[in-house]
Amino acid sequence: MKNKIGVLVMSYGTPESMEGIESYYTHIRRGHKPSEEQLRELTERYEAIVGGVFPLRENTDRQVRTLQETLNVDPRSADYEFVCYQGLKHASPYIEDGVESMVRDGIKEAVGIVLAPHYSSMSVGSYVKRAQVKADELGLQMSFVESYHMHPKLIEVFADRVSAKLNQFEQAGADRDSVRVLFSAHSLPERILSMGDPYQDQLLETSKAVAEKAGVKSWQFTWQSAGRTAEPWLGPDVLDTLQTLNKEEQIEDVLVAPVGFVSDHLEVLYDLDIEAKSIAKGMDMRLERIDSLNSDPLYMEVLSDSVIKQLGL
């Protein structure tokens, strides 16, 4: 009989239906209900995405299923059976629910991994902390993959996507080398810099490696989707960057590569595909985005390999 190992696949989470947006937003706001205006704005963003919230949640569900399949066909896992559980930060099943499910199913050893390649104490670190507290409470032996931002297959799959989109620019008559590639990630409060947090450095390392592998000549890094709080967040924001490129360099072709995200969700499908594209269109700038990784087999291999190496197999 094979030894069972649990894998807690963690991510930010998204509501399962339009009716669940208010409770989801309330959880993000630590129990404080959003104002009518705030709720209406978020709801309108989901409504603007084709299919509403459903493809976002299904993407994550599919990633969990596909990772389990990938883990169990790896030759290194021949003596083990991997069972993947979902744990979400702001929606059900919550991170703690995933840990409880593993214990209830008799899992004795588990690994946690977040669907985000880059570590920050404010993002991945907070997921790990919640899972570890619950695991310790229930007596579950658990370790964690904290980052995989320079995994060779991750660089490869991002570079493949960048190259594919640059080829499309070329086919449309643009000079490939004149296309400005903007690598992006979700902004965090500026105070992480004084904390010695590795988030920004890891993102720049990934961006540089992807650019080199894809043969990108013109690229820079920008931020996106900053929270609306009183404290300053890392910038410049991608919308500001587009304005600057238009005014100061007269850049006409831009490719956004959101390497801080691995799935199609609100920050990609709305913030980039709708909001950023609208800004670019108003300046007669062509803006495209690389395809998200979602359940790409190569990305699933990145996650699988990271889990197996964490176990020392």
Side-chain angles (χ1 to χ4, degrees):
M1 185 175 179
K2 293 184 177 182
N3 293 323
K4 280 191 176 182
I5 296 179
V7 179
L8 183 63
V9 186
M10 296 176 280
S11 59
Y12 195 80
T14 192
E16 291 188 86
S17 67
M18 299 298 285
E19 292 72 27
I21 293 176
E22 183 173 3
S23 60
Y24 168 71
Y25 204 175
T26 300
H27 193 275
I28 291 175
R29 292 169 49 82
R30 301 183 180 183
H32 300 287
K33 283 191 174 184
S35 66
E36 289 186 11
E37 181 182 352
Q38 289 171 325
L39 180 59
R40 182 172 60 254
E41 181 181 354
L42 183 59
T43 300
E44 288 174 351
R45 287 179 173 234
Y46 278 112
E47 289 174 343
I49 298 171
V50 177
V53 302
F54 302 107
L56 285 67
R57 184 56 176 265
E58 176 55 28
N59 280 334
T60 307
D61 294 346
R62 189 183 302 112
Q63 285 172 314
V64 176
R65 295 193 303 268
T66 309
L67 175 56
Q68 179 172 301
E69 295 167 1
T70 306
L71 280 162
N72 285 312
V73 297
D74 191 295
R76 293 170 292 178
S77 67
D79 297 328
Y80 302 88
E81 179 186 352
F82 285 93
V83 185
C84 289
Y85 297 78
Q86 186 158 222
L88 304 175
K89 186 176 183 180
H90 292 299
S92 179
Y94 294 101
I95 291 170
E96 294 80 4
D97 297 333
V99 176
E100 288 181 349
S101 293
M102 288 192 284
V103 173
R104 190 165 52 244
D105 290 346
I107 298 292
K108 303 296 183 184
E109 182 179 10
V111 175
I113 190 166
V114 180
L115 295 176
H118 308 87
Y119 180 87
S120 171
S121 59
M122 289 188 179
S123 57
V124 173
S126 67
Y127 293 63
V128 169
K129 183 177 181 180
R130 282 175 57 176
Q132 187 69 72
V133 167
K134 196 65 180 180
D136 290 345
E137 177 188 320
L138 299 178
L140 175 65
Q141 180 184 334
M142 195 166 186
S143 63
F144 299 89
V145 176
E146 293 195 339
S147 70
Y148 47 91
H149 70 290
M150 288 298 286
H151 193 290
K153 289 184 178 180
L154 181 74
I155 304 304
E156 180 181 349
V157 72
F158 272 133
D160 286 348
R161 277 161 163 68
V162 169
S163 294
K165 286 295 181 179
L166 288 176
N167 288 341
Q168 289 183 17
F169 274 99
E170 204 166 36
Q171 290 165 7
D175 177 4
R176 181 189 178 98
D177 292 342
S178 71
V179 178
R180 180 64 54 87
V181 177
L182 299 181
F183 293 102
S184 71
H186 201 300
S187 181
L188 289 176
E190 276 186 10
R191 56 190 159 93
I192 69 166
L193 299 179
S194 61
M195 296 163 53
D197 194 284
Y199 185 59
Q200 179 173 257
D201 289 341
Q202 288 190 0
L203 283 161
L204 290 174
E205 287 173 359
T206 300
S207 301
K208 181 180 179 182
V210 172
E212 289 178 351
K213 190 167 186 64
V216 173
K217 299 290 193 300
S218 177
W219 69 274
Q220 64 193 84
F221 191 85
T222 190
W223 299 95
Q224 63 170 91
S225 313
R228 298 178 181 179
T229 62
E231 66 177 316
W233 286 57
L234 295 170
D237 182 82
V238 62
L239 302 183
D240 296 327
T241 298
L242 292 174
Q243 298 276 4
T244 301
L245 292 178
N246 174 255
K247 292 177 182 178
E248 297 183 4
E249 300 186 52
Q250 292 77 52
I251 298 294
E252 297 180 351
D253 297 299
V254 175
L255 172 62
V256 182
V259 293
F261 302 92
V262 297
S263 306
D264 281 324
H265 45 51
L266 199 65
E267 287 79 4
V268 172
L269 298 178
Y270 184 87
D271 294 4
L272 294 179
D273 289 1
I274 295 176
E275 192 171 34
K277 277 202 170 187
S278 176
I279 292 291
K281 185 177 180 181
M283 299 183 293
D284 291 326
M285 176 186 285
R286 179 183 176 188
L287 185 146
E288 299 293 341
R289 171 182 64 83
I290 66 168
D291 295 336
S292 296
L293 304 187
N294 293 320
S295 299
D296 184 285
L298 207 54
Y299 176 54
M300 292 297 105
E301 289 177 21
V302 171
L303 297 177
S304 176
D305 185 58
S306 298
V307 167
I308 288 173
K309 286 180 176 177
Q310 178 65 31
L311 290 164
L313 302 183

